[in-house]
Amino acid sequence: LERIVKEIKETNELLVEYGMAEEQIGKISIDKLRKVASLPHILERVPSLDALLPFLEITNQQEYLVKRLKELSEGGAMSDYKWNGGGRYKGVVWSDKLPTDAEIVMNCVAAYLDGRMPKYYHYTSNVDGKPFSGIYFLKTLNSDLQKNGSNDKTEKLSDPKAQKMSFFATLLASTKSSNVPVTKEADIANASSTPSQQHKNFVIVQIAQKPPHYVLQLNSRNNSSNSIAAASSSANVSIKDGETLDVGQGRNNLFHVLLLFLHLIKTKEQGMLGRINFGSSGINVLWVLDEQ
């Protein structure tokens, strides 16, 4: 986030230098920013503006977004992070008309990975043409879940001990641990994964927005994003075409999902996501899982 904030500041300084003082990031809408970024002299002299657009597309409230990114980047560990809320805006407390901090952070992660993965890396289900968020990150928001904040599945897992046991039982199975407990669930480790299916062995899915809630879906394989959305909109949030790992609700939900996503890349995909190496010879993010 510090790098994003620094890039925004430097880009705005360049826009002022090239006569676009009123068209700075945080002052105009995202649609107007796109038009400015497409101007030939801006594309040539301020290419960072076009590169920043994916990080800004989460909301049209650009002034709030830039302010919140700056606030979250301060302190070294996002101490002001509010997973189901955000910061004050124009002297008024945060409202649900603005994105939550969890959504802002996830959008930044997705935008970063979209920028690091090759543009030509896509499959028929990637309707957005985005190499990461068009394949590995889906939003399948359940309208009932939006209203109630829970459903039959999450209510059954409301007991912390039951929730933790359910999650780790599935995790052990997915990583082929010798300590897998006997369950009625299908054994994830036995699921076939031909080379053509490897690219969608697991997908991050946002199943709720208010409050935000993320899960990890395993073995989606040949499912299209439409079939996934249809399954998740059923009475049971569990996506029926594949196993779902739910790490629990709350402040750390997003961070635990991201760590689990990296864990599966490391243990099941030899550190590769498609053609991208997440290890030291690639984008180098798997070090966060190493023992210190």
Side-chain angles (χ1 to χ4, degrees), residues 164-237:
K164 183 177 290 187
M165 289 303 296
S166 174
F167 162 64
F168 282 107
T170 313
L171 174 59
L172 289 169
S174 70
T175 53
K176 301 182 180 180
S177 169
S178 59
N179 299 316
V180 179
V182 177
T183 68
K184 295 181 181 179
E185 298 291 333
D187 186 0
I188 299 174
N190 291 332
S192 63
S193 56
T194 63
S196 64
Q197 297 169 339
Q198 285 286 344
H199 70 282
K200 291 193 71 173
N201 269 355
F202 34 87
V203 179
I204 296 172
V205 184
Q206 182 178 356
I207 60 171
Q209 188 174 29
K210 298 169 185 165
H213 190 69
Y214 299 85
V215 298
L216 200 63
Q217 178 191 346
L218 300 183
N219 299 317
S220 60
R221 298 195 299 274
N222 295 325
N223 300 328
S224 68
S225 55
N226 289 335
S227 67
I228 294 172
S232 66
S233 63
S234 64
N236 189 339
V237 170

Side-chain angles (χ1 to χ4, degrees), residues 1 9 47 56 71-72 82 84 146 170 181 189-190 218 224 235 238 241 256 258 260 276 284-285 287 292:
L1 295 183
K9 181 177 181 293
L56 305 171
E71 292 169 345
L72 291 174
K82 298 179 177 63
N84 59 349
Q146 297 293 322
T170 313
N190 291 332
L218 300 183
S224 68
S238 177
D241 288 329
H256 287 170
L258 291 174
L260 180 55
I276 300 300
N284 194 24
V285 295
W287 66 268
Q292 300 299 318

Side-chain angles (χ1 to χ4, degrees), residues 18-47:
Y18 291 112
M20 310 291 286
E22 299 302 318
E23 288 77 21
Q24 297 181 61
I25 301 171
K27 287 189 174 182
I28 59 177
S29 69
I30 187 67
D31 290 334
K32 290 182 179 179
L33 272 178
R34 291 192 190 97
K35 293 178 181 178
V36 172
S38 66
L39 296 174
H41 70 289
I42 297 298
L43 274 173
E44 180 182 354
R45 299 174 181 176
V46 196

Side-chain angles (χ1 to χ4, degrees), residues 22-281:
E22 299 302 318
E23 288 77 21
Q24 297 181 61
I25 301 171
K27 287 189 174 182
I28 59 177
S29 69
I30 187 67
D31 290 334
K32 290 182 179 179
L33 272 178
R34 291 192 190 97
K35 293 178 181 178
V36 172
S38 66
L39 296 174
H41 70 289
I42 297 298
L43 274 173
E44 180 182 354
R45 299 174 181 176
V46 196
S48 56
L49 177 57
D50 187 61
L52 280 169
L53 288 177
F55 295 91
L56 305 171
E57 292 175 343
I58 187 70
T59 178
N60 204 40
Q61 299 291 346
Q62 293 292 291
E63 183 180 357
Y64 170 79
L65 179 59
V66 171
K67 174 178 176 290
R68 192 57 183 162
L69 286 170
K70 185 175 185 299
E71 292 169 345
L72 291 174
S73 71
E74 297 171 346
M78 288 200 295
S79 57
D80 196 40
Y81 175 76
K82 298 179 177 63
W83 71 281
N84 59 349
R88 297 179 67 87
Y89 179 46
K90 295 183 177 180
V92 180
V93 295
W94 181 90
S95 74
D96 59 13
K97 294 180 180 179
L98 300 169
T100 60
D101 287 351
E103 291 175 299
I104 290 175
V105 171
M106 184 61 218
N107 183 69
C108 287
V109 171
Y112 170 74
L113 292 175
D114 279 333
R116 298 308 300 266
M117 298 179 75
K119 298 292 184 183
Y120 56 82
Y121 179 67
H122 64 86
Y123 293 83
T124 55
S125 61
N126 182 6
V127 294
D128 294 329
K130 296 181 178 180
F132 175 80
S133 54
I135 299 173
Y136 299 102
F137 175 45
L138 300 174
K139 294 182 181 181
T140 56
L141 306 179
N142 186 317
S143 58
D144 292 333
L145 188 61
Q146 297 293 322
K147 298 174 183 177
N148 303 327
S150 65
N151 57 23
D152 292 342
K153 182 181 180 180
T154 55
E155 286 172 3
K156 290 178 182 177
L157 294 177
S158 59
D159 175 34
K161 182 179 291 187
Q163 188 178 54
K164 183 177 290 187
M165 289 303 296
S166 174
F167 162 64
F168 282 107
T170 313
L171 174 59
L172 289 169
S174 70
T175 53
K176 301 182 180 180
S177 169
S178 59
N179 299 316
V180 179
V182 177
T183 68
K184 295 181 181 179
E185 298 291 333
D187 186 0
I188 299 174
N190 291 332
S192 63
S193 56
T194 63
S196 64
Q197 297 169 339
Q198 285 286 344
H199 70 282
K200 291 193 71 173
N201 269 355
F202 34 87
V203 179
I204 296 172
V205 184
Q206 182 178 356
I207 60 171
Q209 188 174 29
K210 298 169 185 165
H213 190 69
Y214 299 85
V215 298
L216 200 63
Q217 178 191 346
L218 300 183
N219 299 317
S220 60
R221 298 195 299 274
N222 295 325
N223 300 328
S224 68
S225 55
N226 289 335
S227 67
I228 294 172
S232 66
S233 63
S234 64
N236 189 339
V237 170
S238 177
I239 300 170
K240 296 180 179 180
D241 288 329
E243 296 293 332
T244 301
L245 296 182
D246 191 328
V247 300
Q249 302 179 31
R251 186 180 194 275
N252 291 323
N253 167 258
L254 173 60
F255 300 117
H256 287 170
V257 166
L258 291 174
L259 286 170
L260 180 55
F261 187 75
L262 293 178
H263 171 73
L264 292 177
I265 290 174
K266 183 176 182 179
T267 59
K268 296 189 70 175
E269 304 293 342
Q270 295 76 49
M272 301 290 292
L273 187 67
R275 301 177 185 178
I276 300 300
N277 191 321
F278 273 50
S280 57
S281 62

